[in-house]
Amino acid sequence: MTSQLPALNQWVEEIAELTQPDHIHWCDGSDAENAKLIEQMLADGSLLKLNESTHPGSYLHRSHPDDVARVEHLTFVCTTERDDAGPNNHWMAPDEARAKMRALFTGCMKGRTLYVVPYCMGPIDSPLSRCGVEITDSPYVVANMRIMTRMGQAALARIEREGQFVKGLHSTGDLNPERRFIMHFPESLEIQSFGSGYGGNALLGKKCHALRIASHQARSEGWLAEHMLILGIENPQGKKHYIAAAFPSACGKTNLAMLIPPEGYVRDGWKITTIGDDICWMRPGADGRLYAINPEAGFFGVAPGTSAKSNPNALASIQRNTIFTNVAVTDDNQPWWEGLDKRVPVTDWKGNPFNAEAGTPAAHPNSRFTVSAKQCPSYAPEAEAPAGVPISAIVFGGRRASLVPLVFEARDWTHGVLIGAAMGSETTAAATGAVGVMRRDPMAMKPFCGYNFADYFAHWLSFDKAGAKLPKIFHVNWFRKGDDGDFLWPGFGDNMRVLEWMLKRVAGSVGSQETPIGHLPNPADINLDGLALNDEAMQKLFDYDRQGWAAEFASIGEYLEEYGPRMPEALKAEQQRICGQLN
Ligand code: TSX
Ligand code: MN
């Protein structure tokens, strides 16, 4: 098979010439094709069938133990000018990167099948969507791309019509970490990934295309490609609002996207629906509002911590037709991970007998589920709408044990962009060795922005122009701790109370306390019915510490200096203005 698009056929021929596969297969995305791939992976051991009666249509994949996460130190943005990639990216000159990758890809698919995977990021008929083609030698990647994107025939038809697509080339190579690179060429819409079969390195539609390449493209086309969940909130009157939110890892983004409101809210007729849990593409519509789509079609979620308590919607989603990666297995062949329930698994993520005494987790801390968004009980029908959904509020957040209140609101767009640029979160055991260390992660885009952060902030600021009806911007912190080290806010479903306050602010129906850091809520305006927050919680969740914030803003100033002379003056001026008010 070939396509109707000569440029695509030529590229596939050229890559086949380079990589020397035994076979070439053009993916149509059909059920029959998927069944054949699964059968083949069961036969070669790269997939294991899970318990068909408890988890129908579900499989376990165990990755190479040295290939379990994204590799930031091996991820490069290859722009002509080094400064266009910025201090937030590793950079390599495009010619050097191409030569290095050409050597790695030479002959790498001998004995393998080359799969041509056409995909569309976003609803197939949306003007906000963008397409790509991933060439890969991994059937596991094909099976995951089929869940995570609109993959196959319909995507190919759109690509043939438009003539433009992101070219992604992937090979698992020999999985040697010494011969592993993830290269991005945003100026020519190309990705080359070698030596890893893991999600973010291998499913090129997600982080590589929908964030790094798309953010670069969005800058030149006047839109935003963001690391944000999108949720819908319907009030008892049936009015729907949409919120986009960016959090660094380990803050529970997927949990927030699938939130189930407290009982009282459900009784009153409030409803939360899920549009997406990871990526948000938005652009101004004719009415000046920002309209957003979720470019993905599935969830590639972290398994550990996912339970009937933390995220019932996620748990319900993954009862069938799910690919699990690097989880543990129970005696009756069900997938298991830390935080799921009290059972003890028999096999760890490497396939060895699990020894509970050893003190090491049974599931890998970065183990995953891949599942279609359509299986999520809270999935919103509007997630398939070509026009996208209008965003009423943008939320930034982080994990901060001290200083940062539960919620505050930016005074205006520029202030909101500064709040996003200054975002930080404290590390957890799951991420690194050092626990509780504050890391700044602007807009949660540090590993994902395909160009210079200073230019990125300028691009964000540029949306504030005549005719724009921009969302309000908020900052939240679910993770404030009391003197005894316990969390002060119950979090999870109770975060609904904070979302409701945001909507009241959007409607203009409640006031606020104005402080140098922004608008803090009057506690009486947040529904705390049924919560027994003690005095310390009330004090710390809703107050701000001037001295502490003066120190924080000095540190923010130093951090923004790292992005050098391209930093927009308006952002520096905003930081200095607030510093002046705090000192
Ligand atoms: O996802 C979380 N959210 C957002 C939910 C919509 N988590 C889990 C973070 C790890 C991924 C949270 N953890 C949240 C939260 O709002 N808050 C906390 C901290 C916390 C943990 C436990 C309790 C309260 C707060 N209480 C009990 O376990 C009883
Ligand atoms: Mn993410």
Side-chain angles (χ1 to χ4, degrees):
M1 198 184 113
T2 53
S3 79
Q4 314 270 333
L5 188 65
L8 174 54
N9 298 336
Q10 244 164 50
W11 177 59
V12 172
E13 269 172 44
E14 182 195 314
I15 298 305
E17 182 80 13
L18 174 68
T19 59
Q20 298 287 304
D22 283 11
H23 307 281
I24 297 179
H25 177 85
W26 289 68
C27 295
D28 62 12
S30 65
D31 291 347
E33 176 185 81
N34 187 56
K36 235 176 149 174
L37 281 172
I38 300 276
E39 192 183 320
Q40 180 193 321
M41 286 188 277
L42 288 170
D44 72 15
S46 56
L47 280 191
L48 302 169
K49 178 119 188 75
L50 291 165
N51 188 321
E52 178 66 19
S53 59
T54 61
H55 292 75
S58 298
Y59 303 91
L60 167 63
H61 172 76
R62 294 196 183 109
S63 71
H64 190 285
D66 294 332
D67 185 31
V68 294
R70 287 184 296 105
V71 282
E72 276 173 43
H73 64 294
L74 304 174
T75 300
F76 292 80
V77 169
C78 308
T79 46
T80 310
E81 299 295 327
R82 180 190 276 264
D83 277 352
D84 289 340
N88 45 305
N89 281 301
H90 298 296
W91 175 84
M92 199 182 288
D95 289 350
E96 187 189 344
R98 282 180 201 285
K100 192 185 261 302
M101 297 308 274
R102 172 160 280 273
L104 293 172
F105 278 111
T106 299
C108 74
M109 295 190 193
K110 280 189 186 133
R112 303 183 185 181
T113 297
L114 178 160
Y115 299 94
V116 182
V117 184
Y119 65 87
C120 179
M121 300 310 291
I124 205 91
D125 49 357
S126 171
L128 285 81
S129 301
R130 292 289 186 277
C131 291
V133 177
E134 175 167 357
I135 291 179
T136 180
D137 55 10
S138 162
Y140 166 80
V141 165
V142 178
N144 277 271
M145 286 291 285
R146 180 168 176 274
I147 297 172
M148 294 304 298
T149 73
R150 279 84 171 171
M151 185 274 263
Q153 200 51 63
L156 181 60
R158 177 165 171 163
I159 290 164
E160 288 171 338
R161 197 168 65 240
E162 291 183 335
Q164 206 203 41
F165 60 97
V166 170
K167 290 177 181 161
L169 172 56
H170 169 255
S171 171
T172 52
D174 52 8
L175 297 179
N176 178 352
E178 306 281 300
R179 290 157 47 80
R180 180 178 298 164
F181 292 99
I182 325 295
M183 301 287 190
H184 302 76
F185 305 90
E187 292 157 349
S188 54
L189 304 181
E190 287 174 275
I191 305 157
Q192 295 186 11
S193 167
F194 188 90
S196 169
Y198 171 79
N201 303 326
L203 311 178
L204 301 185
K206 193 175 178 67
K207 304 303 190 182
C208 300
H209 179 166
L211 288 174
R212 298 194 192 96
I213 298 289
S215 61
H216 189 279
Q217 190 174 35
R219 182 192 174 205
S220 60
E221 296 177 0
W223 50 286
L224 290 165
E226 297 301 321
H227 191 200
M228 293 177 175
L229 65 87
I230 312 168
L231 59 78
I233 311 188
E234 190 176 330
N235 71 14
Q237 289 74 48
K239 167 85 188 148
K240 260 192 136 170
H241 283 275
Y242 299 92
I243 293 180
F247 293 86
S249 55
C251 288
K253 228 166 93 191
T254 301
N255 297 343
L256 186 63
M258 299 178 188
L259 176 147
I260 294 179
E263 222 171 271
Y265 277 86
V266 174
R267 204 170 43 232
D268 290 347
W270 288 88
K271 218 173 131 187
I272 294 276
T273 56
T274 308
I275 285 89
D277 81 327
D278 197 39
I279 303 179
C280 167
W281 286 358
M282 36 189 176
R283 73 159 33 176
D287 60 359
R289 301 187 70 185
L290 286 182
Y291 283 79
I293 60 164
N294 169 16
E296 300 191 283
F299 306 118
F300 184 65
V302 175
T306 304
S307 71
K309 269 193 100 173
S310 68
N311 195 336
N313 281 321
L315 205 61
S317 308
I318 59 181
Q319 293 311 299
R320 58 200 160 92
N321 311 328
T322 303
I323 300 173
F324 294 91
T325 302
N326 293 340
V327 299
V329 179
T330 63
D331 58 357
D332 62 345
N333 207 26
Q334 296 188 44
W336 189 92
W337 47 85
E338 276 67 25
L340 174 62
D341 56 34
K342 290 202 168 114
R343 289 174 300 166
V344 178
V346 295
T347 308
D348 73 10
W349 65 275
K350 292 181 184 170
N352 296 323
F354 176 58
N355 172 9
E357 268 87 76
T360 49
H364 189 276
N366 194 33
S367 55
R368 301 277 170 158
F369 52 77
T370 316
V371 71
S372 167
K374 290 190 170 143
Q375 289 190 193
C376 182
S378 59
Y379 190 52
E382 317 88 277
E384 306 288 333
V389 296
I391 299 297
S392 297
I394 289 175
V395 179
F396 296 120
R399 179 184 278 268
R400 300 288 298 260
S402 61
L403 185 69
V404 182
L406 179 62
V407 58
F408 59 97
E409 178 194 324
R411 266 180 301 280
D412 56 26
W413 186 257
T414 301
H415 180 215
V417 173
L418 177 64
I419 289 170
M423 253 169 73
S425 203
E426 283 148 9
T427 53
T428 61
T432 57
V435 176
V437 181
M438 224 279 287
R439 296 267 159 77
R440 297 226 182 262
D441 183 1
M443 276 99 164
M445 284 287 277
K446 183 90 199 294
F448 304 120
C449 183
Y451 62 105
N452 190 319
F453 252 162
D455 298 336
Y456 172 71
F457 301 141
H459 181 51
W460 262 83
L461 292 173
S462 76
F463 285 80
D464 189 6
K465 55 181 173 226
K469 291 204 180 64
L470 294 169
K472 279 187 178 293
I473 297 179
F474 297 87
H475 189 279
V476 299
N477 175 24
W478 317 133
F479 301 94
R480 186 85 183 254
K481 287 181 175 177
D483 294 332
D484 60 3
D486 286 351
F487 290 110
L488 294 173
W489 178 249
F492 300 96
D494 287 306
N495 294 334
M496 181 73 193
R497 302 165 189 275
V498 175
L499 302 181
E500 186 196 8
W501 180 76
M502 291 175 188
L503 294 192
K504 288 187 196 165
R505 289 294 298 166
V506 167
S509 63
V510 297
S512 69
Q513 299 168 250
E514 286 189 39
T515 77
I517 66 162
H519 299 277
L520 284 170
N522 293 310
D525 291 331
I526 298 192
N527 174 10
L528 302 174
D529 290 356
L531 296 185
L533 298 181
N534 62 29
D535 291 347
E536 187 195 20
M538 288 303 291
Q539 206 272 320
K540 290 187 169 148
L541 292 171
F542 297 110
D543 206 11
Y544 98 107
D545 157 17
R546 174 183 290 258
Q547 272 192 351
W549 275 104
E552 174 77 4
F553 263 84
S555 131
I556 291 168
E558 280 169 33
Y559 177 71
L560 296 181
E561 281 295 315
E562 291 174 25
Y563 294 102
R566 289 208 198 189
M567 206 58 184
E569 280 305 321
L571 211 60
K572 288 198 256 183
E574 183 72 9
Q575 186 270 339
Q576 278 158 18
R577 203 176 55 74
I578 297 170
C579 268
Q581 289 177 11
L582 287 165
N583 284 297

